[in-house]
Amino acid sequence: AWVSSLSMGMVFFCSPIVSIFTDLFGCRKVAVIGAAVGLVGLLSSSFVSTIEPLYFTYGILFACGCSFAYQPSLVILGHYFKKRLGLVNGIVTAGSSLFTVSLPFLLRVLIDSVDLYNTLRVLCILMFVLFLAGFTYKPVVPNTKDKEGEKKGKFKLPPAKKICNFSVFKVLSYRIWAFGIPAALFGYFVPYVHLMNHVKERFGNSVPEEVLLLCLGITSGVGRLIFGRVADYIPGAKKIYLQVASFFFIGLMSMMIPLCNVFGALVAVCLFMGLFDGCFICIMAPIAFELVGAQDVSQAIGFLLGLMSVPMTVGPPIAGLLRDKLGTYDVAFYLAGVPPLIGGAILCLIPWVHERQKLKERSKPIDGETTEKMLENESALVSDMTEKPVKELDSGF
């Protein structure tokens, strides 16, 4: 369990570093190298016979490779799509839902037939496909660092301020978004981690708990396709209201889990939870493009994912601690619904703040034009005043 937890945490924890490398070397190189590192980590894990080396081979090496391969796949979409960026993100992220539904059954068959180590080697085929896919990433949006390198004829590291682009945090709307989402995620993943144990305690072994995973995976994929397309019709930063709605419903569904005394009601809750989980995930990249622009989107997403790693790691263990103290998951699920509601309320401020920022940016050029015109008028008056005496002198002579 600690190996898998370390792996998931490292995927998000490495995201700020991945964003820096993506800005320096481009999406293609980072994705290809990341997939290669992940392939090496997964393959080496298949030859490990004890648990301790897995902390490095699977928990760190494989996870870091996946992180380096994952983030460029979100950034590269903005190079090709703008009008239908939401739909494209929905289609791309729906692939993870497809594998969430199908991969557990495939893994169970493989482990039963060819054991764990050979199963890891079979999964290396997927990492090799990811390695090949990375070569198709061809950035379209010009990079300022690439331009500087082309002019000088060789690659040179830019200043530290450009490497770590903390200027994205100067954008107030992004700051609210980057801290509001982690605040909501303290309770967001609690149902995904503890739901199966709750079902066993509440209903025993008489119900098929795998159905709940199917419901979450299928409706999450449907939600990504639907809300990704809906986001394309919502202008500007108002897309954030979709995330507000997703946090509101997920928080509400978390609070309803302890109230479900019938398994069918729990299935219905999981259907809604998966639907709005897909909504939250698919519009993350389009919102980042709206708030900071295409040039800074890589590090904007990286910093956000890095901040998300903290609540994702802390929230579920706190819920487990509450269960150990109280003997039931009920209070943990009730409390897990509170952070998404608070985070959603914080995100409601972003469209208003973003519009005010745009108005300020629009007023700055206007003010600059008016001052330039005033200076031109003053220079024209001065020239007229100097020309008149000269003309009078010419006429006198």
Side-chain angles (χ1 to χ4, degrees):
W2 276 106
V3 171
S4 60
S5 298
L6 177 63
S7 177
M8 181 59 67
M10 287 299 296
V11 169
F12 289 91
F13 184 76
C14 291
S15 294
I17 302 171
V18 177
S19 64
I20 293 171
F21 278 92
T22 302
D23 282 349
L24 287 175
F25 303 107
C27 295
R28 179 189 293 175
K29 292 179 181 177
V30 173
V32 169
I33 293 173
V37 171
L39 177 61
V40 171
L42 192 60
L43 186 61
S44 59
S45 298
S46 67
F47 293 100
V48 170
S49 58
T50 58
I51 191 75
E52 288 79 11
L54 282 177
Y55 288 110
F56 174 73
T57 59
Y58 190 89
I60 295 177
L61 195 62
F62 171 67
C64 289
C66 289
S67 183
F68 274 74
Y70 169 67
Q71 192 172 320
S73 70
L74 298 179
V75 176
I76 195 66
L77 298 177
H79 290 245
Y80 288 89
F81 302 94
K82 187 173 182 181
K83 186 178 179 181
R84 294 184 175 86
L85 184 59
L87 176 62
V88 172
N89 272 275
I91 294 172
V92 171
T93 56
S96 62
S97 295
L98 179 63
F99 277 86
T100 300
V101 174
S102 59
L103 202 57
F105 298 98
L106 176 63
L107 291 177
R108 183 176 297 175
V109 172
L110 287 173
I111 291 173
D112 292 340
S113 57
V114 297
D115 72 47
L116 174 63
Y117 302 109
N118 287 318
T119 298
L120 293 175
R121 290 162 195 162
V122 171
L123 291 178
C124 288
I125 298 172
L126 295 178
M127 290 303 299
F128 184 70
V129 172
L130 195 62
F131 172 77
L132 296 177
F135 286 100
T136 64
Y137 295 175
K138 185 179 180 182
V140 176
V141 176
N143 195 335
T144 54
K145 300 179 184 63
D146 293 338
K147 288 181 178 179
E148 291 174 3
E150 288 175 4
K151 289 179 182 179
K152 295 178 182 178
K154 61 180 181 179
F155 177 78
K156 186 179 179 180
L157 282 176
K161 290 182 179 179
K162 291 186 177 181
I163 294 176
C164 295
N165 188 14
F166 291 111
S167 62
V168 294
F169 286 100
K170 294 180 180 179
V171 181
L172 180 58
S173 56
Y174 175 76
R175 284 205 307 271
I176 298 172
W177 190 56
F179 291 103
I181 286 183
L185 292 180
F186 274 101
Y188 189 95
F189 284 97
V190 170
Y192 294 91
V193 175
H194 296 290
L195 183 60
M196 295 299 104
N197 290 331
H198 170 73
V199 171
K200 288 180 180 178
E201 290 183 0
R202 179 67 62 88
F203 301 100
N205 295 322
S206 59
V207 294
E209 66 244 16
E210 294 85 1
V211 173
L212 300 179
L213 292 176
L214 283 173
C215 293
L216 288 170
I218 292 172
T219 53
S220 179
V222 173
R224 296 175 197 198
L225 294 173
I226 293 175
F227 289 106
R229 185 58 177 148
V230 171
D232 293 332
Y233 293 103
I234 300 176
K238 291 182 179 179
K239 293 180 176 67
I240 202 75
Y241 289 130
L242 288 176
Q243 279 192 332
V244 172
S246 67
F247 282 139
F248 175 79
F249 279 100
I250 287 174
L252 188 62
M253 293 300 108
S254 297
M255 293 179 174
M256 290 184 66
I257 288 174
L259 302 176
C260 297
N261 295 318
V262 181
F263 185 72
L266 201 57
V267 170
V269 166
C270 290
L271 289 172
F272 278 101
M273 188 175 290
L275 188 68
F276 287 98
D277 171 75
C279 173
F280 162 68
I281 292 173
C282 74
I283 60 172
M284 191 178 296
I287 291 173
F289 274 96
E290 291 289 344
L291 297 183
V292 300
Q295 290 291 343
D296 299 325
V297 73
S298 175
Q299 295 204 29
I301 295 175
F303 288 134
L304 176 65
L305 295 177
L307 291 170
M308 284 169 56
S309 66
V310 177
M312 286 178 62
T313 306
V314 172
I318 293 176
L321 183 63
L322 288 172
R323 190 260 170 229
D324 292 339
K325 295 290 183 181
L326 302 175
T328 178
Y329 283 106
D330 291 359
V331 175
F333 285 124
Y334 287 134
L335 294 178
V338 176
L341 297 178
I342 295 174
I346 294 172
L347 296 183
C348 286
L349 300 172
I350 292 177
W352 176 72
V353 171
H354 194 65
E355 285 300 319
R356 289 194 65 182
Q357 287 177 340
K358 280 188 173 181
L359 289 174
K360 286 182 181 179
E361 290 174 0
R362 289 171 186 169
S363 63
K364 284 181 181 178
I366 295 172
D367 294 339
E369 289 176 6
T370 53
T371 52
E372 286 178 3
K373 288 180 180 179
M374 289 174 65
L375 291 172
E376 288 176 2
N377 292 333
E378 287 179 1
S379 62
L381 286 172
V382 171
S383 62
D384 289 341
M385 293 294 290
T386 54
E387 285 177 1
K388 282 181 181 179
V390 172
K391 287 179 181 179
E392 288 176 3
L393 288 170
D394 291 341
S395 63
F397 283 108

